[in-house]
Amino acid sequence: MPGEFELIARHFAALTGRRADVVLGVGDDAALLDLPPGQELVATVDTLALGVHFFADCPPAALGHKALAVNLSDLAAMGAGPAWALLALTLPAADDAWLARFAAGFAALARSFDVSLVGGDTCRGPLAVTITALGHVPRGQALRRSGARAGDGVYVSGEIGAAGLAVRARRGEITLPAALATHAARRLDYPQPRVALGLALRGLASAAIDVSDGLLADLGHICASSGVGARLELARLPLPDGALAVATRESLVGSGDDYELCFTVPPRHEPALGALAASVGCALTCIGRIEAAPGLWLVDEAGQTRPAAQGGHDHFR
Amino acid sequence: MPGEFELIARHFAALTGRRADVVLGVGDDAALLDLPPGQELVATVDTLALGVHFFADCPPAALGHKALAVNLSDLAAMGAGPAWALLALTLPAADDAWLARFAAGFAALARSFDVSLVGGDTCRGPLAVTITALGHVPRGQALRRSGARAGDGVYVSGEIGAAGLAVRARRGEITLPAALATHAARRLDYPQPRVALGLALRGLASAAIDVSDGLLADLGHICASSGVGARLELARLPLPDGALAVATRESLVGSGDDYELCFTVPPRHEPALGALAASVGCALTCIGRIEAAPGLWLVDEAGQTRPAAQGGHDHFR
C-alpha cells in the first residue's frame, strides 16, 4: 500500500487543472494565491460525513462531486466566482481504486468551474470529506442574507424536493416510480451548484442563500438576518414531476439537499428575471413575497394562510 | 440539548475577536475578506483526528490550541502573517462544557496572533478537527521548500524531540523524569507556531518547512523540492534537557510534532541570524549544511558519516 504522501501526490495531481492565479499549489507548507485587485476573498467550509450527509452506498465519484458542489453552492449564494479549493479527506483505508473514482468526481466538477485544488490533508478514520472553497467577488457586490426588504419577491431556482425524496426512498420510507427515482437520485448525488445564477444575480437580488437545510429553513435564515417575514405560496413551488403522488407540498418545502438558490428581488428588478433565467439556463420561480413583520406564513392550495412550522436539518438534534 | 445553529453561534462567537479586514464573518453562506494590496493569499488545511493525531485524554483546550497551531505553523513556514481561520468540527455529541473549553483554547491562540474565525461547520461523528488557515505574504517573498542550494546552512528553531518523547511516554514505551515529562507534555499539547520567526526569515532563508513529520523527514522534503542533499550533525541537535538519558539522537531526529521551523540560509545571510534569534526570542541552531548531491547523511558524535534512514509519520502505513 502506498504511503500518504504518494497517495496525495498521485490522486491530488489528477484532481484538477491549474489556474494562472495559483502561484504555488499542493506540495509546500501552504498554497500561494493571487487575488485579482478590487475583489473580496470569499471563503466557506463544509464537511460531508458518512451516515450524516451520505449513505454507505454513495458512489465515490458522487461523493467527490458533491463535497465540492455543496461548497461551490455556498460561493454561488454569495454571488462569488469560485477559484480554489482545499480538501481534507478522512478514509478508513488507503483504497487506490476508491480514491481514483473519488478524484474523478471531484475533478470533473472542479474543471467545469475552473477550480484548482491548492491544498490537502489525509488521515485515517471514518469516511469524511471537508472542503474549503475560496472565490472572489467585486468589492461590495456580494449577495448577503441580510438585504431582504418588505415587498421583495421570493424566488427559487430550478425545482425543490427531489433530493429529499431520494433520501426518504433510500431510507425505505417511500417508494418512488422509476423515472422519479432516477431523477431524484441524480439530484441527491450530483447537485449542480448555481454558480452562473449567483454571478448574474449581483446587482439584482437583495438577499440570497443556498437551499441546503430545506427551503423553509433557509428562507427563515434570510428573514432572520434581514429582520423581516415572508409569505410562501405552496401552489407555486416548482416540484419534480410526480412528486405530489408521493409527498405533500408541506414536506417538500422542508426537505434539504437541493442546492438551489433562494433569493429575494426588489419589485423594480423582477422584470429582468425572465431574460436572466434564459441566459443562465434554469427556471426561476416566484414563490412568495417578503413582509415587514417577522414570521413565516404558508398559503396552501385552498388559499388558507397559516404559520409555517420551522424546521430543517440539524445534525445535533 | 441545543441545536447545531445555536451551538455554532454561541461558541464560535466567543472564539476570537474580529479583524477590521473581515467584511463579513460567520453567519452567512461564506465569509467576505479583504486582502491587503500587494499581498499573495496563503492557504493551508490540516486535520487532527482522535487516535491518529491526539490521545483520548487530550484536554479540549489543548486540542483547540493545537488544531489552530499546526495550521499557523504551516503559514509561518511560508513566511506568512496569519489572518483568518475556518473550522470544521466533528463531535460525537454536542457537549457544551467540552465545546467551551475547546473554544477557549482556540481563542487564546487566535487572539495572540490576531486571527479571526470566519467560517465553520459542525457534524456528528468521531472527534476530528479540520482547520483551514489563511494569511498573506508580500508578493514574491514567501519562503518555499524549493530554494535550498549547496553550501547553505541548515537551521532549526527552538529544540527538537520533546513532543515525540511525550508521545512515547503516553504510549507507555518510556518513562520520563518528572521535569522532562511536564516539559514534553506541554510541547506536545501546546505547540507554539513560529510566526514571528517565519516573518523575520523573509529575505534571509532560502527554504523553510515546519517540523511536523520529524526533522529528518521534513529536511528530506526541502532537499527533494530543492534537488539537493544535506549533511546533518547529530551532536549539534538542540535537544530538551535530559532527553539523551531516555532516547538516542537518531530517534529524536525522526520524531514529529515539534512545530519548529527547519530552514536553510545562504552563507552571506548567516551572520544576521544571531540578532534575529534575539529579536524573535528563540534559539536558532545550525545543525548541518546543504550539499549538491541528493541524499541525507548523518554525522554521529564520533564523527562517522552514514546515510540517514528515511522516515516520518505516515497515517496510511
Side-chain angles (χ1 to χ4, degrees):
Chain A
M1 189 161 69
E4 177 178 1
F5 302 118
E6 295 163 63
L7 271 178
I8 293 174
R10 179 143 33 89
H11 291 288
F12 281 29
L15 278 185
T16 176
R18 177 151 164 191
R19 296 164 59 97
D21 55 15
V22 177
V23 181
L24 188 64
V26 172
D28 210 302
D29 289 277
L32 298 174
L33 308 166
D34 242 341
L35 192 72
Q39 303 272 317
E40 285 166 353
L41 176 67
V42 187
T44 186
V45 64
D46 265 311
T47 299
L48 297 190
L50 175 64
V52 181
H53 305 91
F54 60 93
F55 295 95
D57 62 356
C58 179
L63 182 59
H65 171 100
K66 185 166 182 173
L68 180 59
V70 303
N71 280 284
L72 298 189
S73 180
D74 279 325
L75 296 186
M78 303 301 290
W84 312 297
L86 299 99
L87 166 66
L89 188 55
T90 303
L91 291 173
D95 177 336
D96 212 52
W98 189 96
L99 271 167
R101 292 192 289 157
F102 174 88
F106 181 104
L109 185 65
R111 279 196 207 99
S112 73
F113 289 109
D114 194 21
V115 170
S116 282
L117 186 78
V118 297
D121 191 21
T122 59
C123 91
R124 190 188 285 274
L127 184 57
V129 189
T130 296
I131 289 181
T132 301
L134 303 172
H136 44 78
V137 63
R139 198 175 307 281
Q141 292 187 32
L143 305 175
R144 303 179 179 209
R145 296 180 178 177
S146 56
R149 297 294 174 259
D152 290 356
V154 177
Y155 288 79
V156 70
S157 62
E159 58 168 47
I160 286 297
L165 291 177
V167 170
R168 292 177 60 196
R170 288 194 189 171
R171 285 186 184 141
E173 296 169 9
I174 55 174
T175 302
L176 301 179
L180 181 54
T182 303
H183 172 71
R186 184 84 194 162
R187 293 275 298 171
L188 178 65
D189 290 340
Y190 290 92
Q192 298 299 319
R194 296 295 191 184
V195 173
L197 175 60
L199 297 176
L201 287 175
R202 296 196 306 227
L204 294 177
S206 51
I209 193 169
D210 74 325
V211 182
S212 53
D213 295 329
L215 180 60
L216 205 57
D218 289 314
L219 178 57
H221 294 319
I222 285 185
C223 288
S225 293
S226 301
V228 296
R231 183 173 306 255
L232 216 59
E233 296 185 48
L234 289 174
R236 292 207 195 175
L237 286 178
L239 301 176
D241 286 346
L244 290 178
V246 291
T248 62
R249 286 188 166 88
E250 285 78 356
S251 70
L252 293 164
V253 86
S255 77
D257 264 333
D258 288 311
Y259 299 101
E260 296 291 349
L261 295 189
C262 174
F263 54 98
T264 60
V265 179
R268 71 182 183 285
H269 290 316
E270 292 186 74
L273 292 179
L276 192 154
S279 77
V280 300
C282 78
L284 303 178
T285 307
C286 183
I287 55 173
R289 206 146 287 273
I290 297 294
E291 302 186 333
L296 277 179
W297 299 87
L298 295 181
V299 183
D300 68 19
E301 297 93 317
Q304 299 291 312
T305 298
R306 55 187 169 72
Q310 285 282 5
H313 287 313
D314 191 333
H315 303 307
F316 285 113
R317 280 202 191 276
Chain B
M1 190 160 72
E4 178 178 1
F5 303 118
E6 294 163 60
L7 271 178
I8 293 173
R10 180 145 31 91
H11 291 287
F12 280 29
L15 279 186
T16 176
R18 178 151 162 191
R19 297 164 58 97
D21 55 15
V22 178
V23 181
L24 188 64
V26 173
D28 210 302
D29 289 277
L32 298 173
L33 307 166
D34 241 342
L35 192 73
Q39 304 272 316
E40 285 166 352
L41 176 66
V42 188
T44 185
V45 65
D46 265 312
T47 298
L48 297 190
L50 175 63
V52 181
H53 305 91
F54 60 93
F55 296 95
D57 62 356
C58 179
L63 182 59
H65 171 100
K66 185 165 181 172
L68 179 59
V70 302
N71 280 283
L72 298 188
S73 180
D74 280 324
L75 296 186
M78 303 301 290
W84 313 296
L86 298 100
L87 167 65
L89 189 54
T90 303
L91 291 172
D95 177 337
D96 212 52
W98 189 95
L99 272 167
R101 291 192 289 158
F102 173 87
F106 180 104
L109 184 65
R111 279 195 207 98
S112 74
F113 288 109
D114 194 20
V115 170
S116 282
L117 185 78
V118 298
D121 191 21
T122 60
C123 90
R124 189 189 285 276
L127 184 58
V129 189
T130 297
I131 288 181
T132 302
L134 303 172
H136 44 77
V137 63
R139 197 176 308 279
Q141 293 187 32
L143 306 174
R144 303 180 178 207
R145 296 180 180 178
S146 55
R149 297 293 174 261
D152 290 357
V154 176
Y155 288 79
V156 70
S157 63
E159 59 169 47
I160 286 296
L165 291 177
V167 169
R168 293 177 59 196
R170 288 194 188 170
R171 284 188 184 140
E173 296 169 11
I174 55 174
T175 302
L176 302 179
L180 181 54
T182 303
H183 172 71
R186 183 85 195 163
R187 292 275 299 171
L188 178 65
D189 289 341
Y190 290 92
Q192 298 300 319
R194 296 295 191 184
V195 173
L197 175 60
L199 297 177
L201 287 174
R202 297 197 306 226
L204 294 177
S206 51
I209 193 170
D210 75 324
V211 181
S212 53
D213 295 329
L215 179 60
L216 205 56
D218 289 313
L219 177 57
H221 294 319
I222 284 184
C223 289
S225 294
S226 301
V228 295
R231 183 173 306 255
L232 214 60
E233 295 185 48
L234 289 174
R236 293 207 194 175
L237 285 179
L239 301 177
D241 287 346
L244 289 178
V246 290
T248 62
R249 287 189 166 87
E250 286 77 357
S251 71
L252 293 165
V253 85
S255 77
D257 263 334
D258 287 311
Y259 298 101
E260 296 292 348
L261 295 188
C262 174
F263 55 97
T264 59
V265 180
R268 71 182 184 284
H269 290 316
E270 291 186 77
L273 292 180
L276 192 155
S279 77
V280 299
C282 78
L284 303 178
T285 308
C286 182
I287 54 172
R289 206 146 287 272
I290 296 295
E291 301 187 335
L296 276 179
W297 300 87
L298 296 181
V299 183
D300 67 20
E301 298 94 316
Q304 298 293 311
T305 298
R306 54 188 169 72
Q310 284 283 4
H313 286 313
D314 192 332
H315 304 307
F316 285 112
R317 280 202 193 275

